[in-house]
Coordinates of all heavy atoms in Angstrom, one line a residue:
M1 N 0.8 14.2 -15.6 CA 1.2 14.4 -14.3 C 1.6 15.9 -14.1 O 2.1 16.5 -15.1 CB 2.3 13.5 -13.9 CG 1.9 12.1 -13.6 SD 3.3 11.1 -13.1 CE 4.1 10.8 -14.6
S2 N 1.5 16.4 -12.9 CA 1.8 17.8 -12.7 C 3.4 17.9 -12.7 O 4.1 17.1 -12.3 CB 1.3 18.2 -11.3 OG 1.8 19.4 -10.9
A3 N 3.8 19.1 -13.3 CA 5.2 19.4 -13.3 C 5.6 20.2 -12.1 O 6.7 20.6 -11.9 CB 5.5 20.2 -14.6
E4 N 4.6 20.4 -11.2 CA 4.8 21.3 -10.1 C 5.8 20.5 -9.1 O 5.5 19.4 -8.7 CB 3.5 21.5 -9.4 CG 3.5 22.1 -8.1 CD 2.1 22.2 -7.4 OE1 1.2 21.8 -8.0 OE2 2.1 22.7 -6.3
P5 N 6.9 21.2 -8.8 CA 7.8 20.5 -7.8 C 7.2 20.6 -6.4 O 6.5 21.6 -6.0 CB 9.1 21.4 -7.8 CG 8.7 22.7 -8.4 CD 7.5 22.4 -9.2
L6 N 7.4 19.6 -5.6 CA 6.8 19.5 -4.3 C 7.9 19.6 -3.2 O 8.8 18.8 -3.2 CB 6.0 18.3 -4.1 CG 4.7 18.1 -5.0 CD1 4.0 16.8 -4.7 CD2 3.8 19.3 -4.7
D7 N 7.7 20.6 -2.4 CA 8.6 20.7 -1.2 C 8.2 19.6 -0.2 O 7.1 19.2 -0.1 CB 8.4 22.1 -0.6 CG 9.2 22.3 0.6 OD1 8.7 21.9 1.7 OD2 10.3 22.8 0.5
D8 N 9.2 19.0 0.5 CA 8.9 17.9 1.4 C 7.9 18.3 2.5 O 7.3 17.4 3.1 CB 10.2 17.4 2.1 CG 11.0 16.5 1.2 OD1 10.4 16.1 0.1 OD2 12.1 16.0 1.6
S9 N 7.7 19.6 2.8 CA 6.7 20.0 3.8 C 5.3 20.1 3.3 O 4.4 20.2 4.1 CB 7.2 21.3 4.5 OG 7.1 22.3 3.5
R10 N 5.2 20.1 2.0 CA 3.8 20.2 1.3 C 3.0 19.0 1.7 O 3.4 17.9 1.5 CB 4.0 20.3 -0.2 CG 2.7 20.2 -1.0 CD 2.0 21.6 -1.2 NE 0.8 21.4 -1.9 CZ 0.6 21.7 -3.1 NH1 1.6 22.2 -3.9 NH2 -0.6 21.6 -3.7
V11 N 1.8 19.3 2.2 CA 0.8 18.2 2.5 C 0.1 17.8 1.2 O -0.4 18.6 0.5 CB -0.1 18.6 3.6 CG1 -1.2 17.6 3.8 CG2 0.6 18.9 4.9
V12 N 0.1 16.5 1.0 CA -0.6 15.9 -0.2 C -1.5 14.8 0.2 O -1.5 14.4 1.4 CB 0.5 15.4 -1.2 CG1 1.3 16.5 -1.9 CG2 1.4 14.3 -0.6
L13 N -2.3 14.4 -0.7 CA -3.2 13.3 -0.5 C -2.7 12.0 -1.2 O -2.5 12.1 -2.4 CB -4.6 13.6 -1.0 CG -5.2 15.0 -0.5 CD1 -6.5 15.2 -1.2 CD2 -5.2 15.0 1.0
A14 N -2.5 11.0 -0.4 CA -2.0 9.7 -1.0 C -3.1 8.6 -0.9 O -3.6 8.4 0.2 CB -0.7 9.3 -0.2
P15 N -3.4 8.0 -2.0 CA -4.3 6.9 -2.0 C -3.8 5.8 -1.1 O -2.6 5.4 -1.2 CB -4.4 6.4 -3.4 CG -3.8 7.5 -4.3 CD -2.9 8.2 -3.4
A16 N -4.6 5.4 -0.1 CA -4.2 4.4 0.8 C -5.4 3.7 1.4 O -6.5 4.1 1.2 CB -3.4 5.1 1.9
R17 N -5.1 2.5 2.1 CA -6.2 1.8 2.7 C -5.7 1.2 4.0 O -4.5 1.1 4.2 CB -6.8 0.7 1.8 CG -5.7 -0.3 1.3 CD -6.4 -1.2 0.3 NE -5.3 -2.0 -0.4 CZ -4.8 -3.1 0.1 NH1 -5.1 -3.5 1.2 NH2 -3.8 -3.7 -0.6
P18 N -6.5 0.9 4.9 CA -6.1 0.4 6.2 C -5.4 -1.0 6.0 O -5.9 -1.8 5.2 CB -7.4 0.2 7.0 CG -8.4 1.0 6.3 CD -8.0 1.1 4.9
G19 N -4.4 -1.2 6.7 CA -3.7 -2.5 6.7 C -4.1 -3.3 8.0 O -5.3 -3.3 8.3
S20 N -3.1 -3.8 8.6 CA -3.4 -4.6 9.9 C -3.9 -3.6 11.0 O -3.6 -2.4 11.0 CB -2.2 -5.3 10.3 OG -1.1 -4.4 10.6
E21 N -4.6 -4.2 11.9 CA -5.1 -3.4 13.1 C -4.3 -3.8 14.3 O -3.4 -4.7 14.3 CB -6.6 -3.7 13.3 CG -7.4 -3.3 12.2 CD -8.9 -3.5 12.4 OE1 -9.3 -3.8 13.6 OE2 -9.7 -3.5 11.4
G22 N -4.5 -3.1 15.4 CA -3.9 -3.4 16.6 C -2.8 -2.4 16.9 O -2.7 -1.3 16.4
P23 N -1.9 -2.8 17.8 CA -0.8 -1.9 18.3 C 0.2 -1.5 17.2 O 0.8 -0.4 17.3 CB -0.1 -2.6 19.4 CG -0.6 -4.0 19.4 CD -1.8 -4.1 18.6
E24 N 0.3 -2.3 16.2 CA 1.2 -2.0 15.1 C 0.4 -1.8 13.8 O 0.7 -2.3 12.7 CB 2.2 -3.1 14.9 CG 3.1 -3.2 16.0 CD 4.3 -4.2 15.8 OE1 4.6 -4.4 14.6 OE2 4.8 -4.7 16.8
A25 N -0.7 -1.0 13.9 CA -1.6 -0.8 12.8 C -0.8 -0.2 11.6 O 0.2 0.6 11.8 CB -2.7 0.2 13.2
Q26 N -1.2 -0.5 10.4 CA -0.5 0.0 9.2 C -1.5 0.7 8.2 O -2.7 0.4 8.2 CB 0.2 -1.2 8.5 CG 1.2 -1.9 9.3 CD 1.8 -3.1 8.5 OE1 1.3 -3.4 7.4 NE2 2.8 -3.7 9.1
V27 N -0.9 1.5 7.4 CA -1.6 2.1 6.3 C -0.9 1.5 5.0 O 0.3 1.6 5.0 CB -1.5 3.6 6.3 CG1 -2.0 4.2 5.0 CG2 -2.3 4.1 7.5
L28 N -1.6 1.0 4.1 CA -1.0 0.5 2.9 C -1.3 1.5 1.7 O -2.4 1.8 1.4 CB -1.7 -0.8 2.5 CG -1.6 -1.9 3.6 CD1 -2.4 -3.2 3.1 CD2 -0.1 -2.3 3.8
F29 N -0.2 2.0 1.2 CA -0.2 3.0 0.2 C -0.4 2.4 -1.2 O 0.2 1.3 -1.5 CB 1.0 3.9 0.1 CG 1.1 4.8 1.3 CD1 1.9 4.4 2.4 CD2 0.4 6.0 1.4 CE1 2.0 5.2 3.5 CE2 0.5 6.7 2.6 CZ 1.3 6.4 3.6
E30 N -1.3 3.0 -2.0 CA -1.4 2.5 -3.4 C -0.2 2.8 -4.2 O 0.3 3.9 -4.1 CB -2.7 3.1 -4.0 CG -3.9 2.9 -3.2 CD -4.9 1.9 -3.8 OE1 -4.7 1.6 -5.0 OE2 -5.8 1.6 -3.1
T31 N 0.2 1.9 -5.1 CA 1.3 2.1 -6.0 C 0.9 1.7 -7.4 O -0.1 1.0 -7.6 CB 2.6 1.3 -5.6 OG1 2.3 -0.1 -5.6 CG2 3.0 1.7 -4.2
R32 N 1.6 2.1 -8.4 CA 1.4 1.7 -9.8 C 2.8 1.5 -10.4 O 3.8 2.0 -9.9 CB 0.7 2.8 -10.5 CG -0.7 3.2 -10.0 CD -1.7 2.0 -10.2 NE -3.1 2.4 -9.9 CZ -3.6 2.4 -8.7 NH1 -3.0 2.0 -7.7 NH2 -4.9 2.7 -8.6
R33 N 2.8 0.9 -11.5 CA 4.0 0.7 -12.3 C 4.0 1.7 -13.4 O 3.0 1.8 -14.2 CB 4.1 -0.8 -12.8 CG 5.4 -1.1 -13.4 CD 5.6 -2.6 -13.7 NE 5.5 -3.4 -12.5 CZ 6.5 -3.7 -11.6 NH1 7.7 -3.1 -11.9 NH2 6.4 -4.4 -10.6
T34 N 5.1 2.4 -13.6 CA 5.2 3.3 -14.7 C 5.5 2.6 -16.0 O 5.8 1.4 -16.0 CB 6.4 4.3 -14.5 OG1 7.6 3.6 -14.6 CG2 6.3 5.0 -13.1
A35 N 5.3 3.3 -17.1 CA 5.6 2.7 -18.4 C 7.0 2.2 -18.5 O 7.3 1.3 -19.3 CB 5.3 3.8 -19.5
Q36 N 7.9 2.8 -17.8 CA 9.3 2.4 -17.8 C 9.6 1.2 -16.8 O 10.7 0.7 -16.7 CB 10.2 3.6 -17.3 CG 10.2 4.8 -18.3 CD 9.0 5.6 -18.1 OE1 8.4 5.6 -17.0 NE2 8.7 6.4 -19.1
G37 N 8.5 0.8 -16.1 CA 8.7 -0.4 -15.3 C 9.0 -0.1 -13.8 O 9.1 -1.0 -13.0
Y38 N 9.0 1.2 -13.4 CA 9.3 1.5 -12.0 C 8.0 1.5 -11.2 O 6.9 1.8 -11.7 CB 9.9 2.9 -11.9 CG 11.2 3.1 -12.5 CD1 11.3 3.8 -13.7 CD2 12.4 2.6 -12.0 CE1 12.5 4.0 -14.4 CE2 13.6 2.8 -12.6 CZ 13.6 3.5 -13.8 OH 14.8 3.7 -14.4
I39 N 8.1 1.0 -10.0 CA 6.9 1.1 -9.1 C 6.9 2.5 -8.5 O 8.0 3.0 -8.0 CB 7.0 0.0 -8.0 CG1 6.9 -1.3 -8.6 CG2 5.9 0.2 -7.0 CD1 7.0 -2.5 -7.7
C40 N 5.8 3.2 -8.5 CA 5.8 4.5 -8.0 C 4.6 4.7 -7.0 O 3.6 4.0 -7.1 CB 5.7 5.6 -9.1 SG 4.2 5.6 -10.0
G41 N 4.8 5.7 -6.1 CA 3.7 6.1 -5.2 C 2.9 7.1 -6.0 O 3.3 7.8 -6.9
L42 N 1.6 7.3 -5.5 CA 0.8 8.3 -6.2 C 0.4 9.4 -5.1 O 0.2 9.1 -4.0 CB -0.6 7.7 -6.6 CG -0.5 6.5 -7.5 CD1 -1.9 5.9 -7.8 CD2 0.1 6.9 -8.9
V43 N 0.4 10.7 -5.5 CA 0.0 11.7 -4.7 C -0.8 12.7 -5.5 O -0.6 12.9 -6.7 CB 1.1 12.5 -3.9 CG1 1.9 11.6 -3.1 CG2 2.0 13.3 -4.9
F44 N -1.7 13.4 -4.8 CA -2.6 14.4 -5.4 C -2.5 15.6 -4.6 O -2.5 15.6 -3.4 CB -4.0 13.9 -5.5 CG -4.2 12.7 -6.4 CD1 -3.9 11.4 -5.9 CD2 -4.4 12.9 -7.8 CE1 -4.0 10.3 -6.8 CE2 -4.5 11.8 -8.6 CZ -4.3 10.5 -8.1
T45 N -2.5 16.8 -5.3 CA -2.4 18.1 -4.6 C -3.8 18.6 -4.2 O -3.8 19.7 -3.5 CB -1.7 19.1 -5.5 OG1 -2.4 19.2 -6.8 CG2 -0.3 18.6 -5.8
S46 N -4.9 17.9 -4.5 CA -6.2 18.3 -4.1 C -7.1 17.1 -4.1 O -6.9 16.2 -4.8 CB -6.8 19.4 -5.0 OG -7.1 18.9 -6.2
A47 N -8.2 17.2 -3.2 CA -9.2 16.2 -3.2 C -9.9 16.1 -4.5 O -10.2 15.0 -5.0 CB -10.2 16.4 -2.1
E48 N -10.1 17.2 -5.2 CA -10.8 17.2 -6.5 C -10.0 16.4 -7.5 O -10.6 15.6 -8.3 CB -11.0 18.6 -7.0 CG -12.0 19.4 -6.2 CD -11.4 20.0 -4.9 OE1 -10.1 20.0 -4.7 OE2 -12.2 20.3 -4.0
R49 N -8.7 16.5 -7.5 CA -7.8 15.8 -8.5 C -7.8 14.3 -8.2 O -7.9 13.4 -9.0 CB -6.4 16.3 -8.5 CG -6.4 17.7 -9.2 CD -5.0 18.3 -9.2 NE -5.0 19.6 -9.9 CZ -4.0 20.3 -10.2 NH1 -2.8 19.8 -9.9 NH2 -4.1 21.4 -10.8
L50 N -7.8 13.9 -6.9 CA -7.8 12.5 -6.5 C -9.1 11.9 -6.9 O -9.2 10.8 -7.5 CB -7.6 12.4 -5.0 CG -7.6 11.0 -4.4 CD1 -6.5 10.9 -3.4 CD2 -8.9 10.5 -3.9
V51 N -10.2 12.6 -6.6 CA -11.6 12.0 -6.9 C -11.7 11.9 -8.5 O -12.3 10.9 -9.0 CB -12.7 12.9 -6.3 CG1 -14.0 12.5 -6.9 CG2 -12.7 12.7 -4.8
S52 N -11.2 12.9 -9.2 CA -11.3 12.9 -10.7 C -10.6 11.7 -11.2 O -11.1 11.1 -12.2 CB -10.7 14.2 -11.2 OG -10.7 14.1 -12.6
C53 N -9.5 11.3 -10.6 CA -8.7 10.2 -11.1 C -9.2 8.8 -10.6 O -9.3 7.9 -11.4 CB -7.2 10.4 -10.8 SG -6.1 9.1 -11.4
L54 N -9.4 8.8 -9.3 CA -9.7 7.5 -8.7 C -11.1 7.2 -8.2 O -11.4 6.2 -7.7 CB -8.7 7.3 -7.5 CG -7.2 7.3 -7.9 CD1 -6.3 7.2 -6.7 CD2 -6.9 6.2 -8.9
G55 N -11.9 8.3 -8.2 CA -13.3 8.1 -7.8 C -13.5 8.5 -6.4 O -12.6 8.6 -5.6
P56 N -14.8 8.8 -6.0 CA -15.2 9.3 -4.7 C -15.0 8.3 -3.6 O -15.0 8.7 -2.4 CB -16.6 9.8 -4.9 CG -17.1 8.9 -6.0 CD -16.0 8.6 -6.9
D57 N -14.9 7.1 -3.9 CA -14.8 6.1 -2.8 C -13.4 5.7 -2.5 O -13.2 4.8 -1.6 CB -15.6 4.8 -3.2 CG -17.1 5.1 -3.3 OD1 -17.6 5.9 -2.6 OD2 -17.7 4.5 -4.2
Q58 N -12.4 6.3 -3.1 CA -11.0 5.9 -2.9 C -10.6 6.5 -1.5 O -10.7 7.6 -1.2 CB -10.1 6.6 -4.0 CG -8.6 6.5 -3.7 CD -8.1 5.0 -3.7 OE1 -8.4 4.3 -4.7 NE2 -7.4 4.6 -2.7
P59 N -10.1 5.6 -0.6 CA -9.6 6.1 0.7 C -8.3 6.7 0.5 O -7.5 6.4 -0.5 CB -9.5 4.8 1.5 CG -9.6 3.6 0.6 CD -10.2 4.1 -0.7
W60 N -7.9 7.6 1.3 CA -6.7 8.4 1.2 C -6.2 8.9 2.6 O -7.0 8.9 3.5 CB -6.7 9.5 0.2 CG -7.9 10.5 0.4 CD1 -9.1 10.4 -0.1 CD2 -7.9 11.6 1.2 NE1 -9.9 11.4 0.3 CE2 -9.2 12.2 1.2 CE3 -6.9 12.3 2.0 CZ2 -9.5 13.4 1.8 CZ3 -7.3 13.4 2.7 CH2 -8.6 14.0 2.6
V61 N -5.0 9.3 2.7 CA -4.4 9.9 3.8 C -3.7 11.2 3.4 O -3.2 11.3 2.3 CB -3.5 9.0 4.7 CG1 -4.2 7.8 5.2 CG2 -2.3 8.6 3.8
A62 N -3.8 12.2 4.3 CA -3.0 13.5 4.0 C -1.8 13.4 4.9 O -1.8 13.1 6.0 CB -3.9 14.6 4.4
L63 N -0.6 13.7 4.2 CA 0.6 13.8 4.9 C 1.6 14.6 4.1 O 1.5 14.8 2.9 CB 1.2 12.3 5.2 CG 1.7 11.5 4.0 CD1 2.4 10.3 4.6 CD2 0.6 11.1 3.1
P64 N 2.7 15.0 4.8 CA 3.7 15.8 4.0 C 4.5 14.9 3.1 O 4.7 13.7 3.3 CB 4.7 16.3 5.2 CG 3.9 16.1 6.4 CD 3.0 15.0 6.2
V65 N 4.9 15.4 1.9 CA 5.6 14.7 0.9 C 6.8 14.0 1.5 O 7.1 12.8 1.2 CB 6.0 15.6 -0.3 CG1 6.9 14.9 -1.2 CG2 4.8 16.1 -1.0
G66 N 7.6 14.7 2.4 CA 8.8 14.1 3.0 C 8.5 12.9 3.8 O 9.3 11.9 3.7
A67 N 7.4 12.8 4.5 CA 7.0 11.7 5.3 C 6.7 10.5 4.3 O 7.1 9.4 4.6 CB 5.9 12.0 6.2
L68 N 6.0 10.8 3.2 CA 5.6 9.8 2.3 C 6.9 9.2 1.6 O 7.0 8.0 1.4 CB 4.6 10.3 1.2 CG 4.2 9.3 0.2 CD1 3.4 8.1 0.9 CD2 3.4 9.9 -0.9
R69 N 7.8 10.1 1.2 CA 9.1 9.7 0.6 C 9.8 8.7 1.5 O 10.3 7.7 1.1 CB 10.0 10.9 0.3 CG 9.6 11.7 -0.8 CD 10.7 12.8 -1.1 NE 10.2 14.0 -1.6 CZ 9.9 14.2 -2.9 NH1 10.1 13.2 -3.8 NH2 9.5 15.3 -3.3
E70 N 9.8 9.0 2.8 CA 10.5 8.2 3.8 C 9.8 6.8 3.9 O 10.5 5.8 3.9 CB 10.5 8.9 5.2 CG 11.3 8.1 6.2 CD 11.4 8.8 7.5 OE1 11.6 10.1 7.5 OE2 11.3 8.2 8.5
L71 N 8.5 6.8 4.0 CA 7.7 5.6 4.1 C 7.9 4.7 2.9 O 8.1 3.5 3.0 CB 6.3 5.9 4.4 CG 6.0 6.5 5.8 CD1 4.5 7.0 5.8 CD2 6.2 5.4 6.9
L72 N 7.7 5.3 1.7 CA 7.9 4.5 0.5 C 9.3 4.1 0.3 O 9.5 3.0 -0.2 CB 7.4 5.4 -0.7 CG 5.9 5.7 -0.8 CD1 5.6 6.6 -2.0 CD2 5.1 4.4 -0.8
G73 N 10.2 4.9 0.7 CA 11.7 4.6 0.5 C 12.0 3.3 1.3 O 12.9 2.5 0.9
E74 N 11.3 3.1 2.4 CA 11.6 1.9 3.2 C 11.2 0.6 2.4 O 11.7 -0.4 2.7 CB 10.8 2.0 4.5 CG 11.3 3.0 5.5 CD 10.5 3.2 6.7 OE1 9.5 2.4 6.9 OE2 10.7 4.1 7.5
A75 N 10.3 0.8 1.5 CA 9.9 -0.3 0.6 C 10.7 -0.3 -0.7 O 10.3 -1.1 -1.6 CB 8.4 -0.2 0.4
G76 N 11.6 0.6 -0.8 CA 12.4 0.6 -2.1 C 11.8 1.4 -3.2 O 12.2 1.4 -4.3
I77 N 10.7 2.2 -2.9 CA 10.1 3.0 -3.9 C 10.6 4.4 -3.8 O 10.4 5.1 -2.8 CB 8.5 3.0 -3.7 CG1 8.0 1.5 -3.8 CG2 7.8 3.9 -4.7 CD1 6.6 1.3 -3.3
T78 N 11.2 4.9 -4.9 CA 11.8 6.2 -4.9 C 11.1 7.2 -5.9 O 11.4 8.4 -5.9 CB 13.3 6.1 -5.3 OG1 13.4 5.5 -6.6 CG2 14.0 5.3 -4.3
V79 N 10.1 6.7 -6.6 CA 9.4 7.6 -7.6 C 8.0 7.9 -7.1 O 7.3 7.0 -6.6 CB 9.3 6.9 -9.0 CG1 8.5 7.7 -10.0 CG2 10.7 6.5 -9.5
I80 N 7.6 9.1 -7.2 CA 6.3 9.6 -6.8 C 5.6 10.3 -8.0 O 6.2 11.3 -8.5 CB 6.3 10.5 -5.6 CG1 6.9 9.7 -4.3 CG2 4.9 11.0 -5.3 CD1 7.0 10.6 -3.1
A81 N 4.5 9.8 -8.4 CA 3.7 10.5 -9.5 C 2.8 11.5 -8.8 O 2.0 11.2 -8.0 CB 2.9 9.4 -10.2
V82 N 2.9 12.7 -9.3 CA 2.1 13.8 -8.7 C 0.9 14.1 -9.7 O 1.2 14.4 -10.9 CB 3.0 15.1 -8.5 CG1 2.1 16.2 -8.0 CG2 4.2 14.8 -7.6
D83 N -0.3 14.1 -9.2 CA -1.5 14.4 -9.9 C -1.5 13.6 -11.2 O -1.7 14.2 -12.3 CB -1.6 15.9 -10.2 CG -1.9 16.7 -9.0 OD1 -2.6 16.2 -8.1 OD2 -1.4 17.8 -8.9
P84 N -1.4 12.2 -11.2 CA -1.5 11.5 -12.4 C -2.9 11.5 -13.0 O -3.9 11.7 -12.3 CB -1.1 10.1 -12.0 CG -1.5 10.0 -10.6 CD -1.3 11.4 -10.0
T85 N -3.0 11.3 -14.3 CA -4.4 11.2 -14.9 C -4.9 9.8 -14.7 O -4.1 8.9 -14.2 CB -4.3 11.5 -16.4 OG1 -3.5 10.5 -17.0 CG2 -3.7 12.9 -16.7
T86 N -6.1 9.6 -15.0 CA -6.7 8.2 -14.9 C -5.9 7.2 -15.6 O -5.6 6.1 -15.1 CB -8.2 8.2 -15.4 OG1 -8.9 9.2 -14.7 CG2 -8.8 6.9 -15.2
R87 N -5.5 7.5 -16.8 CA -4.7 6.6 -17.7 C -3.4 6.3 -17.0 O -2.9 5.2 -17.0 CB -4.5 7.2 -19.1 CG -3.8 6.2 -20.0 CD -3.7 6.8 -21.4 NE -3.1 8.1 -21.2 CZ -2.5 8.7 -22.2 NH1 -2.5 8.2 -23.4 NH2 -2.0 9.9 -22.1
E88 N -2.7 7.3 -16.5 CA -1.4 7.1 -15.9 C -1.5 6.3 -14.6 O -0.7 5.5 -14.3 CB -0.7 8.5 -15.6 CG -0.3 9.2 -16.8 CD 0.0 10.7 -16.5 OE1 -0.5 11.3 -15.6 OE2 0.8 11.3 -17.3
A89 N -2.6 6.6 -13.8 CA -2.8 5.9 -12.6 C -3.1 4.4 -12.8 O -2.9 3.6 -12.0 CB -3.8 6.6 -11.7
A90 N -3.7 4.1 -13.9 CA -4.1 2.7 -14.2 C -3.0 1.9 -14.8 O -3.0 0.7 -14.8 CB -5.3 2.7 -15.2
A91 N -1.9 2.6 -15.3 CA -0.8 1.9 -15.9 C -0.1 1.0 -15.0 O -0.1 1.1 -13.8 CB 0.2 2.9 -16.5

């Protein structure tokens, strides 16, 4: 994973897929479990890194890190993995 600190205003790519449709449409963010047992969100600092890890068909959304922290925090997820490798993302 990248050691690069991310400012909350930095726009990143988060693996996600469409959830429910309609007036309360949702986006479902992909998560993984760390080796320590924590559930974490995944973000990538470039499309190339996302594709390298998850493949060209992986859907994603671009948003500021701060917005993602807030959304994941609502689900109790406080850890975000930045630019994980294929092995880390599969864990």
Side-chain angles (χ1 to χ4, degrees):
M1 285 182 284
S2 172
E4 173 185 356
L6 294 179
D7 180 273
D8 277 355
S9 64
R10 169 88 184 259
V11 174
V12 292
L13 308 178
R17 57 187 166 83
S20 61
E21 296 182 16
E24 294 187 28
Q26 296 179 355
V27 171
L28 302 175
F29 293 98
E30 304 251 350
T31 61
R32 299 293 191 272
R33 190 169 298 276
T34 67
Q36 296 80 22
Y38 298 106
I39 295 176
C40 69
L42 306 174
V43 300
F44 294 87
T45 56
S46 72
E48 292 79 15
R49 289 180 179 189
L50 183 140
V51 168
S52 174
C53 182
L54 301 176
D57 297 324
Q58 172 65 51
W60 52 269
V61 296
L63 72 167
V65 172
L68 182 63
R69 285 187 211 280
E70 186 176 319
L71 292 167
L72 292 177
E74 291 174 6
I77 299 169
T78 59
V79 177
I80 296 177
V82 179
D83 292 327
T85 63
T86 303
R87 183 178 54 162
E88 292 166 333

